Amino acid sequence: MRLRWIVALTAALSLGLAGCSSQPNSSAASGDQVDRTIVIGVGGEPSNLNPVFGDIYGSVYGDHWPVFSSLLDYGQDLELQPDLAAELPEVSTDGTEVTVKVRDDARWHDGEPVTAADVAFTYNAILDPSVATPVRDLLFRSLRKVDALDAETARFTLHEPDQAFLAKLTTGIVPEHVLAGQDLNKAAFNLAPVGSGPFVFDELRPGERIVLTANPDYYGGEVGLERVVVTFVEDESARVRQLETGALDVDAEGLGPQTIRRFEDNPDYRVVRIPGDLLTLTLPTTNAFFKQAEVRRAIGKAIDRQQLVDGLAAGAGRVVSGPFYPDHWATDPSVSVAYDPDAARAELAAHGWKPGPDGVLVRDGERFRFDLIYGHGYAEDAAALAIRDALGNIGIEVKPKALDYAEQQKQVAAGAASLQGLGNAYDPAIDVFDTYHSSLSDDDPSGNVARVESRRIDAAIERGERSNDLAERTAAYHELHRLLVEHGSWQYLMQGDNYYAVRADVSGVEPQVREGHVHGFSRGLLWNLADWSVSGP
Amino acid sequence: MTRHRNHGLGRLVARRLLVLPVVLVAVAAMTYLLVAVSPFDPMSAYEAGSAGLSAQAKDEIRAAWGMDAPTYLQFLHWLGNVLQGDLGHSRLLGGQPVLPQLGARLAPTAILVGTALALTLVGGLLAGVAAAAFRDSWVDRAIRGLSYVSVAAPSFWTGLLLLWVFSSWLGWFPAGGSANLRARDVGLVDPRYLVLPAIALAATQFAWFAMFVRNQLLEVMREDYVVFAQAQGIGRWPVLLRHALPNALLPFLTLAGVHLAEIVGGTILVETVFSWPGLGQLAVEAARAVDLPLLVGITLLGSVTVVLGNLLADVCYRVADPRIRESTA
């Protein structure tokens, strides 16, 4: 009898819970409010939207949100083209002055005109040592100052000629009239920006989404999408679930080669494939095991690059041997590293490394055994294990060690072998000097981590950087490619692809070629977001 | 009597609130200390791929954020600012002041924790009473089994299971987030988005309460006055609910205070699994980026919650139990 009210209470409670759930799953949303809105999933919440502080992942290459525009931008084939600039900039004959005309029809989202003073303000802010931005060091060491000559003309003065300088003018321009006099490090603008790009910043819901709306006065023409919602979902499987339930339209973070299969045969989605980073094994010359070039090259020969492509990239990747993307003009297509484990064994034997009782190579009582440093991740684990197996095959014992970035940097600086995803789709001059030039091999652990010290490599780098002639630069970088293979401290192994899933009713998706990094908004998948549109609500 | 009781309670509250600042300063100092000995480097957030920063660039960035001083000086500087109501600026959040940013991000976590706590208490109570009432029957065995499983299962596993069944398979609930991403002018949270994460979070603590209530009830049922009541011919349910349960409930309140800390801590995993936009996820990010002002801010907020939660439990305890009331008076 009295049991009844407990049963009733329990029933009421569970009905209450069920009541919450009995509505249909309307994540595809209801009716009038949702037309021409697109929901894009990215991995992490950006820590700063101000392009002065770098791209949305805090890294390099002047990426910026579509809230902003930049002097120059990359087209679909990664050719530089004017954006806020009226035409391509003029470079003085000695290469130390770059003059840019700013177009006269661009306006900030608050209605003010965009002028050369804004351009000067932006780049001088980057150069200001009290502004905590890595971009100053990573991209603009060659830049001395920027002046606004008049409302439409800005002049960049360089310390020395910089072949890659124009490629660095893709940084988003910020409004002087909003930011002048403020401490940029702490400006409210950093999370509520005003730009001059195709989309207007509308709202940031912390931890969840950033909402942008179309800029009706965009100088670049009509914007196809009415609203763009960018949501932060770190976990890959969570993004997949949200795509499949219709909460997301686009995964812009990239899905693994195994994950992407579930979208490949589904007519509701389009799978976009963009060539990715180069898997790279670094063997620092400061490490006792890697002192001789012959030993480093033997290690390179022991790795079956095609097998890596088949195993790690599900067959959809490319074997590489040098630091530039396979179809880049700087890559010498005639250079390759043949898989030859017998030659590798012979070479190591010639250097005194003979198989011990357990098969591991021994010299003077020392076993050939080293740690392989790499970053956390499922794909990274698989790559490190593949290297371990390949080298184990010729008697080298490799111990893979997954570490956080800071600890990786420390160990690599101390001479540890490392496995990383690297690559540059742009002008080689952006980073080859920092990566291989002998002048950076001593004091500062940040550049030339493999401690390459070669006069011939230095000369090739300098020739490529100083020349204005594409044929001469091509020859210089082809030689650099050959010399690096000969040096053996950088073993470039394979290039996999980045995969993105987009719902099929989104049109205008035409990704940039050859943008390997997962980059935010002004590159790769989303570079032409202003041209996208959604066909159905 | 009433005056005495209020007096005792007032003293308890005053004492705890006086100790609170000391606790908070100690927690903040511990956080600074932990960060000082941790291998994480705040500069790593500024570096990308093989392109490292030069020593000069690192020095400039450290100086701009006051990270060039030794950790104990950074702490003293921070403490000085806190006395003026400034918890510092967060590098991770666009250099914005920590306090208003925490305020903006607090609501989703508070709602999640509150709902999970309510679910835990109500669910634990109902399950405990049912298990005691039907001791050794299938009901009891089922509740005990569920309790063991839920205690043993990590919350991210429970969360993924819930998502798989109720979102991917049945489609009853959304697959993460706190509100419809397409909707405009959304409120703080949408209740449909709250259900699964709240259940996953409650599941981590539910069993403690259910088993606790069950065991307390079974123990109290052996007490003389209960046996006496039963001997008078009063039925099973009135004895259980009117005589036994109120006595079993008292330690329950203390348990709630203690487990509040577990629930607050549990948000880190649950928020990550459900893409819930709260402080739990932010805490992880702050630790990774070594964003000290933000990390300390979140830690302090958690500490305040736990101290106040415990205080509330103690106050309820005293209000409910006349014996404790008088002993403090």
Side-chain angles (χ1 to χ4, degrees):
Chain A
M1 217 0 218
R2 287 187 181 93
L3 181 63
R4 220 174 270 163
W5 73 263
I6 283 209
V7 173
L9 185 69
T10 316
L13 196 82
S14 39
L15 274 180
L17 276 180
C20 295
S21 67
S22 60
Q23 299 164 20
N25 177 8
S26 61
S27 52
S30 52
D32 51 340
Q33 298 183 320
V34 292
D35 44 351
R36 302 212 291 145
T37 292
I38 195 170
V39 183
I40 301 175
V42 297
E45 182 173 6
S47 60
N48 202 318
L49 306 181
N50 185 342
V52 162
F53 294 98
D55 74 25
I56 68 160
Y57 300 110
S59 61
V60 287
Y61 300 117
D63 187 23
H64 53 80
W65 282 73
V67 171
F68 295 98
S69 38
S70 47
L71 287 173
L72 304 182
D73 224 334
Y74 287 103
Q76 190 175 6
D77 297 322
L78 289 192
E79 75 285 8
L80 272 177
Q81 55 190 30
D83 180 8
L84 266 177
E87 60 217 26
L88 283 176
E90 224 174 81
V91 184
S92 67
T93 40
D94 70 348
T96 59
E97 277 186 355
V98 177
T99 311
V100 191
K101 286 271 178 207
V102 179
R103 59 192 295 163
D104 58 7
D105 57 348
R107 294 197 164 267
W108 296 108
H109 296 152
D110 63 8
E112 296 288 317
V114 181
T115 69
D118 295 311
V119 172
F121 176 82
T122 303
Y123 284 95
N124 286 323
I126 290 174
L127 292 183
D128 180 352
S130 71
V131 174
T133 174
V135 177
R136 173 169 60 252
D137 187 52
L138 295 173
L139 290 184
F140 293 106
R141 269 181 284 190
S142 62
L143 178 60
R144 191 150 70 87
K145 61 168 182 164
V146 191
D147 297 298
L149 302 183
D150 58 49
E152 288 173 17
T153 319
R155 172 168 296 163
F156 294 79
T157 310
L158 310 189
H159 293 295
E160 64 211 351
D162 177 357
Q163 279 307 321
F165 191 73
L166 294 193
K168 297 171 181 176
L169 294 181
T170 55
T171 304
I173 301 298
V174 298
E176 182 180 26
H177 70 279
V178 176
L179 286 167
Q182 292 195 39
D183 177 357
L184 281 194
N185 297 326
K186 298 171 181 174
F189 179 93
N190 295 345
L191 292 186
V194 177
S196 55
F199 292 95
V200 181
F201 176 83
D202 180 40
E203 179 196 17
L204 163 65
R205 261 169 77 89
E208 186 184 88
R209 72 177 83 166
I210 285 173
V211 182
L212 311 175
T213 56
N215 175 5
D217 303 318
Y218 182 48
Y219 58 80
E222 204 195 332
V223 178
L225 296 164
E226 199 178 338
R227 254 169 114 244
V228 174
V229 178
V230 180
T231 182
F232 329 123
V233 187
E234 192 170 349
D235 183 41
E236 183 186 64
S237 58
R239 286 198 307 279
V240 167
R241 268 194 308 275
Q242 296 195 14
L243 265 173
E244 289 180 338
T245 55
L248 287 185
D249 296 315
V250 181
D251 173 89
E253 183 64 23
L255 301 170
Q258 306 301 327
T259 313
I260 200 68
R261 284 188 183 160
R262 60 199 296 165
F263 296 104
E264 258 164 0
D265 300 322
N266 188 329
D268 293 338
Y269 303 91
R270 175 206 319 251
V271 169
V272 176
R273 210 170 100 176
I274 305 179
D277 280 333
L278 311 181
L279 181 69
T280 308
L281 173 66
T282 312
L283 306 169
T285 58
T286 45
N287 186 312
F289 289 116
F290 313 134
K291 284 232 181 298
Q292 293 105 351
E294 294 82 3
V295 172
R296 298 192 296 263
R297 284 202 299 268
I299 290 175
K301 277 184 218 165
I303 299 169
D304 185 349
R305 286 160 161 81
Q306 186 56 50
Q307 198 186 1
L308 291 182
V309 169
D310 297 340
L312 301 176
R318 286 149 297 277
V319 166
V320 300
S321 62
F324 313 113
Y325 287 11
D327 58 345
H328 197 289
W329 56 263
T331 292
D332 183 344
S334 68
V335 178
S336 64
V337 177
Y339 170 56
D340 194 345
D342 293 330
R345 280 191 201 96
E347 193 69 68
L348 291 169
H351 279 80
W353 292 105
K354 304 272 164 58
D358 60 351
V360 174
L361 299 176
V362 181
R363 183 175 69 182
D364 303 334
E366 187 183 20
R367 289 157 69 84
F368 203 139
R369 176 185 185 286
F370 64 88
D371 289 346
L372 179 61
I373 307 304
Y374 68 103
H376 292 282
Y378 182 74
E380 287 78 0
D381 288 341
L385 292 178
I387 301 299
R388 184 195 65 182
D389 293 349
L391 298 188
N393 190 34
I394 59 162
I396 296 177
E397 193 182 349
V398 175
K399 187 160 178 267
K401 253 172 127 176
L403 296 172
D404 286 307
Y405 187 75
E407 196 55 31
Q408 281 179 57
Q409 295 290 98
K410 255 181 231 163
Q411 304 239 1
V412 168
S418 66
L419 193 62
Q420 284 171 296
L422 301 173
N424 176 5
Y426 305 97
D427 194 307
I430 286 185
D431 63 2
V432 289
F433 187 92
D434 291 359
T435 317
Y436 317 108
H437 198 278
S438 66
S439 68
L440 289 171
S441 71
D442 294 334
D443 47 347
D444 200 331
S446 59
N448 192 356
V449 292
R451 299 292 181 263
V452 178
E453 291 182 11
S454 154
R455 288 250 171 81
R456 290 159 69 204
I457 287 179
D458 289 352
I461 292 170
E462 288 159 21
R463 255 202 333 281
E465 235 173 65
R466 296 216 177 115
S467 170
N468 277 321
D469 178 44
L470 184 61
E472 201 181 323
R473 299 189 71 207
T474 305
Y477 291 125
H478 282 195
E479 191 185 344
L480 177 62
H481 182 174
R482 283 193 300 273
L483 290 172
L484 283 171
V485 168
E486 213 171 276
H487 195 265
S489 55
W490 289 87
Q491 295 289 340
Y492 294 92
L493 303 171
M494 60 158 265
Q495 179 183 41
D497 287 339
N498 293 325
Y499 296 94
Y500 307 89
V502 181
R503 289 184 72 85
D505 56 1
V506 178
S507 53
V509 183
E510 287 175 22
Q512 256 172 344
V513 298
R514 173 158 61 73
E515 169 42 272
H517 305 287
V518 178
H519 253 316
F521 290 86
S522 47
R523 306 289 165 77
L525 176 69
L526 303 175
W527 74 285
N528 68 338
L529 192 61
D531 300 332
W532 287 24
S533 58
V534 189
S535 49
Chain B
M1 251 323 258
T2 315
R3 202 180 59 80
H4 273 179
R5 181 179 63 187
N6 289 343
H7 187 58
L9 262 186
R11 267 220 313 239
L12 170 80
V13 173
R15 212 166 49 218
R16 291 284 183 86
L17 291 185
L18 276 176
V19 173
L20 182 60
V22 181
V23 171
L24 294 184
V25 170
V27 166
M30 277 303 292
T31 312
Y32 268 86
L33 185 69
L34 278 176
V35 167
V37 299
S38 87
F40 293 102
D41 177 6
M43 284 306 116
S44 64
Y46 290 94
E47 299 182 291
S50 66
L53 281 180
S54 71
Q56 186 196 345
K58 287 184 187 176
D59 288 346
E60 286 168 0
I61 292 175
R62 285 203 187 92
W65 286 113
M67 297 186 294
D68 46 350
T71 310
Y72 76 95
L73 280 183
Q74 287 185 49
F75 174 67
L76 291 178
H77 180 74
W78 174 85
L79 199 59
N81 285 341
V82 169
L83 294 178
Q84 294 158 30
D86 175 11
L87 257 65
H89 292 251
S90 162
R91 282 180 289 121
L92 195 62
L93 304 176
Q96 301 308 295
V98 165
L99 204 54
Q101 286 293 324
L102 286 186
R105 289 161 197 256
L106 175 63
T109 297
I111 291 171
L112 178 60
V113 167
T115 311
L117 185 65
L119 278 180
T120 310
L121 294 180
V122 174
L125 192 60
L126 290 181
V129 169
F134 302 104
R135 184 183 181 178
D136 294 331
S137 74
W138 66 268
V139 177
D140 185 23
R141 282 200 302 274
I143 289 172
R144 270 189 290 164
L146 187 67
S147 296
Y148 295 140
V149 170
S150 81
V151 149
S155 58
F156 62 85
W157 184 84
T158 316
L160 288 174
L161 188 70
L162 288 171
L163 277 171
W164 180 61
V165 174
F166 293 103
S167 176
S168 297
W169 186 27
L170 296 173
W172 291 358
F173 294 101
S178 74
N180 186 339
L181 289 167
R182 282 163 218 275
R184 297 174 193 206
D185 304 320
V186 278
L188 273 177
V189 297
D190 179 334
R192 283 184 308 116
Y193 288 73
L194 176 62
V195 176
L196 295 185
I199 290 176
L201 187 54
T204 60
Q205 304 303 320
F206 151 85
W208 295 102
F209 290 86
M211 289 302 95
F212 183 81
V213 169
R214 175 183 180 276
N215 294 343
Q216 283 285 318
L217 277 180
L218 292 180
E219 221 163 89
V220 172
M221 294 291 271
R222 284 195 293 270
E223 297 273 341
D224 290 347
Y225 69 96
V226 176
V227 177
F228 180 68
Q230 281 172 327
Q232 281 187 314
I234 301 178
R236 175 160 71 149
W237 285 100
V239 167
L240 198 64
L241 297 177
R242 211 169 298 149
H243 299 280
L245 189 59
N247 283 311
L249 270 185
L250 280 172
F252 188 78
L253 288 171
T254 318
L255 194 70
V258 172
H259 281 264
L260 178 64
E262 309 267 342
I263 291 182
V264 169
T267 56
I268 291 179
L269 284 178
V270 169
E271 286 184 358
T272 303
V273 170
F274 288 93
S275 320
W276 189 262
L279 290 174
Q281 278 204 62
L282 192 63
V284 177
E285 293 296 314
R288 270 194 215 161
V290 203
D291 188 340
L292 258 171
L294 183 61
L295 187 61
V296 173
I298 297 173
T299 314
L300 291 186
L301 201 63
S303 312
V304 170
T305 311
V306 170
V307 169
L308 293 185
N310 273 315
L311 180 57
L312 189 68
D314 284 354
V315 168
C316 293
Y317 200 104
R318 270 150 222 260
V319 169
D321 188 340
R323 285 169 303 180
I324 295 173
R325 206 147 67 201
E326 272 154 28
S327 70
T328 44

